[in-house]
Amino acid sequence: MAQEDLFKKIISHCKEYGFVFPSSEIYDGLGAVYDYGQYGVELKNNIRKYWWDSMTLLNENVVGIDSAIFMHPTIWKASGHVDAFNDPLIDNKDSKKRYRADVLIEEHLARIDDKINKEIEKAARRFGDAFDPEQFRSTNPRVQEYQMKRDATHARFVKALNEADLDELRQIIIDAEIVCPLSGTRNWTEVRQFNLMFATDMGSTADGAMKIYLRPETAQGIFVNFLNVQKSGRMKIPFGIAQTGKAFRNEIVARQFIFRMREFEQMEMQFFVRPGEEIEWFNHWKATRLAWHKALGLGDRYRFHDHDKLAHYANAATDIEFEMPFGFKEVEGIHSRTDFDLNQHEKYSGKKMQYFDPEQGQSYTPYVIETSIGLDRVFLSIIAGSYTEEILDGGETRTLLKLPPALAPVKLAILPLVKKDGLPEKAEEILHALRFDFRCQYDEKDSIGKRYRRQDAIGTPYCITVDHDTLNDNSVTIRFRDTMCQERAPIARLGEIIAEKVSMKTLLKKIND
Ligand code: ATP
């Protein structure tokens, strides 16, 4: 299936089965804002819990907080967001469409990479086993020409970004002959900076309203509480503070469903370390975070992408990218931010942001490693990685979400084979016993096959079928979502069997496997 078609199917599946709805839909929607439905909210809560537990249960030195969305406006001055949280935007005069100039160039570079890879794949097929891709890459004239063009554009791009040179960004777009995907023309405006923060007023104008911002990231709430947590929790460096919550960005190009939203949720952890030890900890968190993603069992669809442009205060940064239906995309960022943020808050607030290290007998401003992940992007990666269509023996298509059992919105469906003979009553008895531990669903409508399909579509890992034998032997059939295999099990053991399979503990343990 073409990737574009797959993505469309995923979006409509999310809507049809109550995972994600466009916001304000009856009023024709609101750009890049989405609502989570009855199953979406459960999946989202489970992902958040997986992250939270992995941070605060598996690390004795990581604790959580929940800071307010509204913060003192000077915080955003100190953090650099007021002056520099900008995207370079450019308009096509014919289509009137607005783009991020950096994204247009990145997409252009990715297209050249595709061309190179296609040449290599073609040659590999022609030459068979004897083919040496590296030699081909360094000697084939066509590949070399592509590579030279790519390298030259890339070098100019990195320089222009580092120097915030907007004219040069535009010139690269012109020189690379990048066209608007809609109008097909190269009729571009100048490149302008656009601040992504939403502003609002706090207090009434009579008593002097204050312009405040909806936070564009949760991290600053952690920095400004660093000493509160350190002192009240008697934390010793190294230690981390974790937080999840809403963030808001007025994204210019808000496409690709819940990948880029104007209101989204972040899960961030700032880890405070001794200066000089930050690269060691950066590597530690890089490995730990990749292991967290891989434990989800979505296959080999992750890669690191080191930043071309390091922020001036960072001394290492990487993204964890997931292979979405529209290519490899950032899901999480891991940044070594030095002592920049704490220093800035010390400067702007006039309050000391230092830590006294009892082992070293001296005070210093800690360095920070940040892990910052978008909950909605993980949600999308999990849906995209688990959406499966299978052709069954009879030619029928089965659509299922192979969600990690610990994250599935519904863990267990309890289905009486028929709606009579005392089977519904028996099924309800089982439901009442199990619902304290698992989110269960009772369904007696339609044929058993149709009910299985409904559960497959929302990713329920286990279905329990109550049949006539159940009344005599007190056992049921467990049907497994992924294999469709069935197993007989005594009702008395159901709780224990299911708990083992769907518990968060089982998933958390996989991180260290
Ligand atoms: P991008 O380059 O894609 O705009 P970013 O580098 O600006 O992302 P960060 O500021 O590092 O993102 O934010 C950390 C994480 O927050 C990202 O890895 C992503 O998962 C998530 N995130 C950022 N912006 C959005 C958004 N508009 N919608 C959904 N998630 C987002």
Side-chain angles (χ1 to χ4, degrees), residues 376-436:
D376 313 270
R377 285 194 191 174
V378 191
F379 184 107
L380 182 57
S381 69
I382 291 174
I383 293 273
S386 60
Y387 180 91
T388 311
E389 288 182 7
E390 280 177 3
I391 309 284
L392 301 178
D393 285 347
E396 187 203 345
T397 304
R398 175 169 94 111
T399 304
L400 69 155
L401 294 180
K402 290 187 175 175
L403 297 173
L407 303 186
V410 177
K411 306 293 189 226
L412 196 61
I414 301 172
L415 319 170
L417 191 60
V418 288
K419 229 190 314 183
K420 54 182 186 186
D421 306 336
L423 299 190
E425 290 76 9
K426 188 75 186 165
E428 280 187 25
E429 204 180 286
I430 300 173
L431 172 76
H432 290 147
L434 293 179
R435 68 177 171 192
F436 296 98

Side-chain angles (χ1 to χ4, degrees), residues 85 87 100 102 106 196 216-217 249 251 258-268 307 319-320 330-333 335 370 372-378:
F85 191 51
D87 273 347
R100 262 172 64 175
D102 55 335
E106 271 168 7
L196 300 182
E217 60 174 34
R249 296 182 187 180
E251 299 280 1
I258 56 171
F259 180 79
R260 191 175 295 288
M261 297 197 286
R262 296 199 164 105
E263 173 181 340
F264 58 100
E265 189 163 339
Q266 286 188 318
M267 306 190 285
E268 298 198 291
H307 284 199
D319 295 336
I320 295 177
E330 171 184 343
V331 175
E332 173 157 10
H335 313 121
E370 163 181 86
S372 174
I373 176 169
L375 176 47
D376 313 270
R377 285 194 191 174
V378 191

Side-chain angles (χ1 to χ4, degrees), residues 268-308:
E268 298 198 291
M269 195 277 299
Q270 312 292 325
F271 198 71
F272 300 90
V273 304
R274 280 185 186 153
E277 295 183 358
E278 71 276 12
I279 296 302
E280 203 182 302
W281 283 111
F282 173 77
N283 289 328
H284 165 85
W285 282 109
K286 211 174 138 174
T288 308
R289 294 305 307 145
L290 186 64
W292 183 91
H293 287 276
K294 289 202 161 165
L296 293 169
L298 303 177
D300 196 13
R301 298 175 66 160
Y302 301 92
R303 69 177 188 198
F304 284 118
H305 173 243
D306 294 332
H307 284 199
D308 277 339

Side-chain angles (χ1 to χ4, degrees), residues 129-170:
D129 288 345
F131 181 65
D132 177 349
E134 280 323 305
Q135 190 189 354
F136 182 78
R137 197 185 267 277
S138 56
T139 51
N140 179 275
R142 186 173 298 169
V143 169
Q144 279 189 308
E145 195 187 318
Y146 285 143
Q147 192 66 48
M148 264 168 50
K149 263 196 195 158
R150 188 207 187 278
D151 291 346
T153 308
H154 184 247
R156 282 177 70 188
F157 177 51
V158 173
K159 187 163 181 283
L161 282 183
N162 280 327
E163 294 171 1
D165 186 342
L166 302 184
D167 292 341
E168 174 64 357
L169 279 180
R170 178 172 192 275

